[in-house]
Amino acid sequence: MDHPSVLAAALLVAGVVVLAVGLRGPEGPRTLDERVDAVASTIRCPVCQNLSVADSPSRLAAGMRTEIARDLRAGKSPSEIRAELAAAYGEWILQAPPKEGIGLVAWLAPALLLLGGAV
């Protein structure tokens, strides 16, 4: 086997591993505060739009964190909470594109470009 083939195979394996880890994501938060922070960090603050709800010092963000905690205690999933906020404020409130539909392209494009470059 020549060196370019070995390099291409190694890059392909690395790309698949990175993609698998990226889609799986990190281990989820355990405490309510960690869960609130995890959801709030994915929502853009409507007042200070360059910060997440988790990082914003605004009163609106504090109220949103309280609502997120209440919704989590009520059994709502993080994706349900994000969907409700996106319905109320618009998709721009989400810090990252959704991992479905056209938003999936934003998540897969880097790995596909890396694999295409390796080939």
Side-chain angles (χ1 to χ4, degrees):
M1 199 179 238
D2 57 345
H3 294 302
S5 298
V6 172
L7 180 60
L11 286 174
L12 180 64
V13 169
V16 169
V17 168
V18 167
L19 182 62
V21 170
L23 290 175
R24 181 185 55 144
E27 183 180 327
R30 299 188 189 274
T31 68
L32 179 62
D33 287 341
E34 288 175 346
R35 291 171 51 215
V36 168
D37 191 53
V39 174
S41 67
T42 65
I43 304 297
R44 184 173 284 115
C45 177
V47 175
C48 42
Q49 296 177 9
N50 60 337
L51 293 175
S52 71
V53 169
D55 297 329
S56 173
S58 75
R59 278 190 269 184
L60 179 59
M64 291 174 82
R65 289 190 297 269
T66 301
E67 287 183 37
I68 291 169
R70 184 195 68 224
D71 289 346
L72 287 171
R73 278 194 295 272
K76 288 185 182 177
S77 71
S79 59
E80 289 174 319
I81 295 168
R82 281 189 285 274
E84 288 177 3
L85 289 168
Y89 291 95
E91 290 288 323
W92 68 268
I93 200 155
L94 302 175
Q95 290 278 49
K99 294 181 182 177
E100 59 190 27
I102 194 71
L104 188 59
V105 172
W107 290 100
L108 294 179
L112 294 175
L113 289 172
L114 178 66
L115 290 175
V119 171

